[in-house]
Amino acid sequence: MAFLDYLFSNFSEILDLLIEHIKLTSLSVLIAIIIGVPIGILICYIKKIGRPVLAFANIMQAIPSMALLGFTIPFLGIGTIPAILMVVLYSLLPIIKNTYTGIANINPQMIEAATGIGLTKWQILTKVQIPLALPVIMSGIRISAVSAVGLMTLAAFCGAGGLGYLVYAGIRSINNYQILSGAIPACLLALFIDYVLGIIENLVTPKYNKDKTKKGFFKREKTQKAILIIVGILLIVLLIFPMFFQEKNDREITIGSMDFTEQEILSYMIKDLIEDRTDIKVNQKLSLGSSSIVLSAIKENDIDLYIDYTGTIYGSVLKKDPNSNINEVYQISKKELKETYDLNILNDLNFSNTYTLAVTKETAQKYNLRTISDLSIVSKELIFSPTLVFMERTDCWLGLQKAYPIAFKDVIALDGAPRYLALMNKESDVIDAYSTDGLLKKYDLVVLEDDKNFFLPYQAIPIVNNRILEEFPEIIPLLEELSNYLNDNIMRELNYLVDEERIEPKEVAQNFLIQNNLITKETI
Amino acid sequence: MIKFINVSKTFGNKKILDNINLEIEKNKITCLIGESGCGKTTLLKMINRLNDPTSGIITINGKNILKEDPIKLRRNIGYVIQQTGLFPHMTIEENIEIIPRIEKAPQKVMEKKTLELMDMIDLNPNEYLKRYPSELSGGQQQRIGIARAFATDPNIILMDEPFSALDPVTRLSLQDELIKIQNKHKKTIVFVTHDMDEAIKLADKIAILESGHIIQYDTPEMILKAPANNYVKEFVGTKRIWSSPELIKVEDIMIAHPVTCTPEYSIFYCLNKMRMMKVDTLMVVNEENVLLGILYASNLTGITDYDKKAKDFIEKDFLATHPQDSIIDLVGLINEQKITTMPVIDKKGKLKGLITRSTLLTYMSKQFLKDGEK
């Protein structure tokens, strides 16, 4: 029942994401058809290229989809294009293969008969080969479309939206209802697409091997055609209609965010604040992924603003050696980011989200742990579950091992919130954490003190492109105003509200702004 | 009509056709026959340029087809193959009208033509036009195949073993149908088959192929009676002729040089000749070899005056047969008249030979004996 409540209270968001998902999926499959069918036909005629083409399509399918998505982002930026490209590449194989098989399996005698009575190659293709291969081609399209619905959930990683957003947001905040509210519509959508394409497959199958005596309302051809027409009209309305209303607003900016709770709350805060106080319209690209993805997005001008942390810029972007001087890190980051990428760091938001290591209370008591130095001594007996990002950064795990004599029994990298679950299930003993992480409060964990000052300072800083400075300078004082109301504790409290109390980030952000009189009215 | 001049075809190293020279006659059915792999289908497909010769020239009405647009050429040549030739995703109507539709023939003309064709192949248009090929029997499908070949009203129709997948009864009825159609429409039909019975039944001319060569090109009759070599003899089969007995002529079985005498011979001489030649009849002819009558030994019994002439005893009222009469006519005649001996004369009455009951018996008994037992 609680799930139904969740569904109803978030109905419009789920519906929006569903429509977005349908748009993305149908567009991808359409492109895959437009590319795949001609290629399938082509390799029937030019046998030489058949093997390489099929091999290429096979490899495309074998590449992990996340990796493919990751590869494309530096070239194509974030948003719908890399997501569509990924799904198109994945959908090609079944379409090419089935087109090829469908045409290649036609009895060669029939083709000779067609040639013999005087059809041209083109007429043979259009009048004989394609109609005969159509049922096979359609079943390839059907396979592609159904798997595309599932794959498209990954689109959320590069800010394209869709139902995947709910799934990943749910995983991150350990909110099963949110996961289900994304997964169930995706599943139903897949079944529905399978059904609709099944109808098309049935209609294009030549009558000769069809049982004409089919009875029942949904089995009748007329009904099936009617269903198709309705679905077709709906799709056109979904895809074409928004184009007329999508007038490009000059007073419009896009803000991005990484894929954790704090970032999402901040994104809503900034959006609401700007929209309440100015005439600027703010688009959000939520949960784009790690810092590097969001940074590449702002470099491509896919987004205009996002919140990053000084340590990340200093350590992993500018590749500087560890430095615990807060001011120095900020100044150097600001200067060099401008020089290297022509991006601007504004004043900090008055809170830090530093890396830290955390253990359960139990573990802390058992080994008498207070600092990371204490942990180093007993580390041989413990299992460490850091995030993937933590593992690969010199200012994190790689440097940490140099700064402290630390060597764990085992290191199992996990992403996001599942780390906390692993910790609570005693599958691991130590995790990395962000100092503002609400889950620290939720699970009542002990944060170990960085007694050698290894971790970089991670002050939250807005990063904006020149467009903001030039066209929307009024945003800057708003962000400074906001920072007056933030600090580490408040941020952890807000994160806790989302991660533990299951309040939506949007609502948490709004409530915060209203309580502090930053905005005057609700913007719902 | 269709002429192959020094046509050869090689696939890789294999010579499929070797220097073929063949002229296919207009408005006749020509059968190409041979064992599988002999090149008969390759030869057929050269006519509508599904295969082009490696060397040599093919002309239709004197025009070199290798210089013509193959699409245009094919649309003016009907093409019938086994069932697979119909397109399963098209209705019968669409199948028949496929080329006229592509050539944008007026709807009315097309409809009329289709109805005519359905009438020609004896299928009810109302019942069948909207059906799909798989809903028809094999024989009906093949009739549709023939109708499609006639749809553009071509002068030439190529048929590549069109009936070979059908059951024997259907095959026979379709063969009859084809003969009927041909009698009415008079097309130049080139028909590939491996069935000698089919070829003999349908063909005006038969070309027998063996490993890329035409070893005999002749009428069915001549192929049966005068096989060019042992291969043809084997292929045709020595007993084959008995399935077409109308092709066995009197001249094929008659005794070519019967024992004769002139009317002026004496009885003594005649009896003596009969004894020596071991016959009981003499054919009485004049100087021009015109048959005047028959002298039977039975008519001479009890005669004492041996100086009497043959002309005094000849039977002038006799039945005769002609060289071109078939064995069927002959057997009927002999049975009816209960006669044992029958002279064979030509139109001018000249004696050509003689048929007796025993020659008939000897000949007919051949079919029950193997070649070596004669």
Side-chain angles (χ1 to χ4, degrees), chain B residues 33-70:
Chain B
I33 192 165
E35 285 165 353
S36 57
C38 68
K40 57 188 189 295
T41 298
T42 310
L43 193 63
L44 179 87
K45 285 178 182 170
M46 281 180 175
I47 300 171
N48 63 358
R49 294 198 59 194
L50 286 174
N51 286 321
D52 277 344
T54 312
S55 63
I57 292 173
I58 301 162
T59 62
I60 294 179
N61 293 328
K63 271 199 267 177
N64 185 353
I65 60 165
L66 299 174
K67 287 182 180 154
E68 281 184 45
D69 171 24

Side-chain angles (χ1 to χ4, degrees), chain A residues 139-396:
Chain A
S139 74
I141 291 173
R142 210 168 149 185
I143 294 167
S144 283
V146 171
S147 62
V149 173
L151 265 177
M152 201 41 100
T153 52
L154 288 177
F157 273 121
C158 58
L163 292 167
Y165 171 74
L166 292 170
V167 175
Y168 294 107
I171 291 173
R172 214 169 44 242
S173 56
I174 319 183
N175 183 346
N176 285 338
Y177 296 150
Q178 199 175 15
I179 298 174
L180 288 177
S181 71
I184 292 175
C187 185
L188 292 177
L189 180 62
L191 291 175
F192 178 72
I193 287 183
D194 189 48
Y195 172 72
V196 171
L197 293 180
I199 291 180
I200 299 181
E201 195 178 322
N202 186 36
L203 288 179
V204 299
T205 303
K207 314 293 175 287
Y208 59 91
N209 47 18
K210 224 194 283 179
D211 184 7
K212 275 188 174 170
T213 56
K214 263 185 196 168
K215 287 280 165 349
F217 186 69
F218 288 101
K219 295 270 166 67
R220 262 181 242 152
E221 270 194 15
K222 267 190 185 168
T223 323
Q224 291 190 333
K225 278 181 186 159
I227 292 173
L228 270 192
I229 290 167
I230 293 167
V231 170
I233 291 170
L234 277 178
L235 206 61
I236 289 168
V237 168
L238 276 181
L239 289 176
I240 310 289
F241 232 53
M243 286 183 191
F244 295 106
F245 295 97
Q246 241 179 17
E247 278 173 45
K248 187 72 185 163
N249 188 351
D250 285 342
R251 302 290 288 165
E252 198 172 275
I253 65 165
T254 304
I255 60 178
S257 80
M258 296 177 220
D259 56 352
F260 50 91
T261 310
E262 177 176 294
Q263 285 271 323
E264 210 169 310
I265 297 173
L266 287 170
S267 173
Y268 279 112
M269 277 184 189
I270 294 167
K271 173 186 160 76
D272 288 349
L273 194 62
I274 294 173
E275 290 190 338
D276 188 66
R277 302 281 197 87
T278 69
D279 62 340
I280 302 166
K281 169 137 182 11
V282 180
N283 295 317
Q284 284 172 294
K285 294 235 159 135
L286 293 167
S287 293
L288 291 178
S290 65
S291 167
S292 57
I293 292 178
V294 190
L295 185 67
S296 67
I298 198 168
K299 280 192 266 183
E300 300 286 328
N301 285 320
D302 285 331
I303 57 172
D304 302 299
L305 180 156
Y306 82 104
I307 306 298
D308 210 324
Y309 305 90
T310 49
T312 314
I313 299 298
Y314 189 82
S316 41
V317 178
L318 301 172
K319 311 270 189 246
K320 301 277 177 196
D321 289 331
N323 183 343
S324 51
N325 184 325
I326 294 178
N327 197 39
E328 211 171 280
V329 168
Y330 175 84
Q331 291 303 339
I332 291 175
S333 299
K334 180 169 176 152
K335 185 167 160 277
E336 296 202 6
L337 197 67
K338 182 72 191 169
E339 285 166 3
T340 350
Y341 298 117
D342 200 19
L343 291 173
N344 314 287
I345 296 180
L346 305 180
N347 288 338
D348 74 86
L349 290 177
N350 199 34
F351 74 92
S352 289
N353 189 358
T354 318
Y355 273 111
T356 130
L357 298 184
V359 295
T360 58
K361 255 196 177 149
E362 225 175 287
T363 313
Q365 275 164 10
K366 187 174 165 191
Y367 297 103
N368 196 19
L369 302 179
R370 208 179 47 78
T371 63
I372 297 180
S373 290
D374 296 341
L375 178 72
S376 306
I377 298 166
V378 296
S379 58
K380 278 201 174 65
E381 295 170 37
L382 302 173
I383 296 172
F384 181 39
S385 285
T387 55
L388 296 168
V389 176
F390 190 89
M391 284 291 290
E392 67 194 24
R393 282 170 56 162
T394 49
D395 59 334
C396 294

